Amino acid sequence: MKRIITYGTFDLFHEGHYNMLKRAKAEGDYLIVGVTGDRYDVGRGKLSVKDSLATRIENVKKTGFADMIITEEYLGQKISDIIKYDIDTFVIGDDWRGKFDHLNNYCTVKYISRTEGISSTKIREEEFKINRIGIITDKMSDNQIVKESGLIAGVSVGKVYAEDGTLAGKFNNNYQLQGVAGNLRELFEDSDVIYIRVDIKDRYRFAKEALQAGKHVICDFPFSLDSGEQKELWNIAREKERILLDNIKAPYSQTFIQMMWAVQGGLIGDVIDFNCSVSKKDLDIPYLFYELAAMAVAPMLKILGHDYTSMDSRLIHEGDAIEFATMYFEYPTGRAKINVGNTIRVENQIEIIGTKGTVRIGDNWWKADYFEMDKTDGTNEVFNINFNSNGFRFLLANLVDMISQGIIETKFFSERDSRKVTAILEEAIANRE
Ligand code: CTP
């Protein structure tokens, strides 16, 4: 009996998929179809898949060509499958020509011509609304929004606006955008979503204008250091039924969410000690102290909650320039310490110590793709999601889901979380000696 195997995502099942499965089956007597698991797709950065794994499997099953359906869960699985299922021929579309030649060591590899003019990507582009993102900036770095939005179905970057017209021109050329908007009105007319990437002192006014113009807003974090201004923005967003998102990546990242789940699920017992440090030295963009501090406080609020019983802070500063800050929070079962190094360097990490173990994310924890867990029973594990991105991709994927479902509040990092961070910063600044 000749055994064949083929793989695919099979999202938004189409004629090309049907033809491929039919031809794969005709190559032999028994066909195994590997459907990519959700986690595998996330791991390779494919966040645009619309159908659930169950639907994709069901659609493959309905063709009647597959004798067995398996899921593809990790890189390198194909070799194990070929050996395990004693495969004679591996079949795949010729868009992959050459990419699987190494499997010739295990079985015959056959590339089959694709059905012309159709793909899941094309259907996604046609059927799902593309939300255009307009950018308001005052700097050349784009925080990778251009690259990351290119990888998410449902968003594309449109025009750029900057008060400095020369900068806008350069930005447009550098990132090959759709042009410079001469004024805010032009930008708003061209966009569904506005990304605000300006100094903290200007964020409030741009965010306010964009929301009032009925646009969804992603704004660098924090929006403002004034809780009154911040509250006003949230109120406008609610009134206009528009999404207002803090551009904070960690709470959207799969690594962070998995770590939060482990801690809140009791895997390391009760939290005794929470440490989060961040240092400007390791960031490629000139963050201000407040942005660093906000970034470091947010994970604590997500993991330990808002109900600390006391807070204490110490800010080392030269005039207005804050060089280092340490903040302590007492929680009912333990304490949290946040270190922020502006000119003074600190090691970037999150370390959470519990009664039954410790979890840790090292360098660049806001975009890390793994975390470690050491348990008091002597076991240690590394949880890896194999995903390299600065986190914008998850935030944008969430934005697209929210827009398509008509939801305006995100649970990843809510209004309550956002406002609490500002309140903490306000208090720390007020307490400075
Ligand atoms: N395929 C095909 N003809 C098409 C589209 C896909 O023969 N028009 C084949 C692919 O070569 C692959 C299998 O179907 O062997 C599963 O492909 P998949 O990547 O799931 O489908 P695409 O439509 O190519 O998806 P995407 O646009 O997301 O890459």
Side-chain angles (χ1 to χ4, degrees):
M1 184 160 75
K2 195 171 171 196
R3 296 164 74 88
I4 314 294
I5 198 160
T6 190
Y7 294 86
T9 305
F10 303 103
D11 188 29
L12 307 171
F13 199 87
H14 56 70
E15 192 194 333
H17 295 143
Y18 183 89
N19 294 341
M20 165 57 61
L21 293 176
K22 186 175 179 185
R23 295 178 62 187
K25 173 74 182 199
E27 289 291 321
D29 309 299
Y30 190 85
L31 175 66
I32 301 179
V33 180
V35 180
T36 53
D38 290 334
R39 197 185 153 89
Y40 181 58
D41 277 324
V42 168
R44 52 193 194 133
K46 197 165 176 176
L47 297 191
S48 51
V49 178
K50 292 285 175 192
D51 287 338
S52 69
L53 176 59
T55 303
R56 293 182 287 120
I57 289 175
E58 191 54 35
N59 287 335
V60 169
K61 197 170 166 188
K62 272 198 240 158
T63 63
F65 298 126
D67 296 289
M68 185 199 271
I69 299 175
I70 58 173
T71 55
E72 187 180 19
E73 302 290 356
Y74 60 92
L75 193 73
Q77 186 185 316
K78 291 185 178 78
I79 292 178
S80 315
D81 290 342
I82 289 167
I83 296 170
K84 181 173 170 186
Y85 299 112
D86 192 21
I87 297 299
D88 298 291
T89 309
F90 169 89
V91 171
I92 197 91
D94 62 0
D95 45 323
W96 294 98
R97 186 170 296 284
K99 296 269 170 44
F100 293 104
D101 288 357
H102 57 283
L103 294 178
N104 270 314
N105 295 327
Y106 304 92
C107 66
T108 305
V109 174
K110 188 150 187 190
Y111 299 102
I112 289 184
S113 57
R114 268 171 80 92
T115 306
E116 291 293 312
I118 187 151
S119 72
S120 306
T121 306
K122 197 161 170 234
I123 300 176
R124 280 192 289 263
E125 282 170 4
E126 284 164 6
E127 288 194 4
F128 297 93
K129 178 177 158 37
I130 305 289
N131 296 285
R132 254 164 100 86
I133 305 180
I135 301 177
I136 301 178
T137 190
D138 62 4
K139 41 183 87 59
M140 274 307 287
S141 88
D142 76 324
N143 210 344
Q144 296 194 26
I145 191 165
V146 178
K147 174 174 157 242
E148 297 289 315
S149 51
L151 296 161
I152 294 290
V155 289
S156 73
V157 178
K159 293 184 178 173
V160 58
Y161 170 79
E163 283 181 338
D164 171 353
T166 317
L167 176 87
K170 277 196 199 151
F171 193 97
N172 178 54
N173 292 342
N174 197 41
Y175 297 104
Q176 299 177 349
L177 305 189
Q178 305 299 316
V180 171
N183 54 49
L184 284 177
R185 226 182 62 207
E186 189 187 333
L187 185 77
F188 296 156
E189 270 167 16
D190 186 66
S191 320
D192 306 291
V193 179
I194 301 294
Y195 171 43
I196 298 172
R197 176 151 181 70
V198 295
D199 268 10
I200 195 164
K201 64 176 174 24
D202 299 317
R203 287 177 198 162
Y204 160 75
R205 79 183 156 95
F206 283 126
K208 188 172 169 179
E209 283 206 51
L211 287 169
Q212 278 173 337
K215 303 295 148 189
H216 301 297
V217 168
I218 306 170
C219 184
D220 276 358
F221 177 64
F223 307 146
S224 159
L225 287 176
D226 176 326
S227 48
E229 284 182 359
Q230 219 200 12
K231 186 174 172 191
E232 192 189 340
L233 291 181
W234 285 106
N235 287 342
I236 302 171
R238 231 189 329 273
E239 197 182 293
K240 294 274 182 187
E241 296 186 2
R242 287 296 172 266
I243 298 165
L244 175 58
L245 287 187
D246 292 275
N247 176 22
I248 176 165
K249 277 96 170 210
Y252 292 88
S253 101
Q254 301 268 316
T255 314
F256 182 80
I257 290 170
Q258 211 173 334
M259 187 182 77
M260 183 164 74
W261 171 259
V263 175
Q264 293 176 341
L267 295 189
I268 59 162
D270 292 332
V271 174
I272 309 165
D273 200 64
F274 177 103
N275 281 289
C276 178
S277 312
V278 64
S279 169
K280 182 178 178 167
K281 287 260 162 50
D282 295 305
L283 290 162
D284 48 358
I285 28 184
Y287 277 100
L288 290 170
F289 165 76
Y290 304 110
E291 292 167 291
L292 292 175
M295 202 170 144
V297 167
M300 176 192 81
L301 295 178
K302 290 305 297 178
I303 292 177
L304 299 184
H306 291 208
D307 300 330
Y308 52 83
T309 50
S310 69
M311 168 189 161
D312 192 13
S313 58
R314 194 150 173 239
L315 271 53
I316 313 282
H317 58 103
E318 275 284 320
D320 270 351
I322 298 161
E323 289 164 2
F324 179 77
T326 183
M327 295 181 232
Y328 296 97
F329 299 81
E330 287 292 341
Y331 278 87
T333 61
R335 68 168 14 192
K337 185 168 93 185
I338 309 291
N339 278 332
V340 184
N342 199 22
T343 46
I344 296 170
R345 190 191 169 111
V346 293
E347 229 26 79
N348 286 313
Q349 68 160 353
I350 296 182
E351 184 179 58
I352 308 171
I353 303 169
T355 49
K356 291 188 194 151
T358 304
V359 288
R360 198 174 298 106
I361 312 191
D363 247 6
N364 298 348
W365 51 260
W366 51 92
K367 59 173 182 183
D369 60 0
Y370 73 96
F371 73 92
E372 297 166 61
M373 185 189 299
D374 287 313
K375 306 239 300 220
T376 46
D377 64 10
T379 54
N380 60 52
E381 254 183 285
V382 175
F383 294 84
N384 199 327
I385 68 148
N386 276 329
F387 180 62
N388 200 357
S389 140
N390 79 349
F392 232 131
R393 212 176 303 178
F394 291 117
L395 187 146
L396 292 172
N398 179 238
L399 176 79
V400 171
D401 287 343
M402 288 170 75
I403 295 176
S404 65
Q405 293 171 37
I407 297 170
I408 60 162
E409 269 245 32
T410 180
K411 294 195 173 82
F412 287 100
F413 196 71
S414 65
E415 170 179 351
R416 186 167 168 265
D417 295 326
S418 177
R419 288 175 58 180
K420 186 71 180 177
V421 171
T422 305
I424 290 172
L425 294 185
E426 266 181 334
E427 190 175 334
I429 296 162
N431 287 347
R432 140 179 106 161
E433 286 139 28

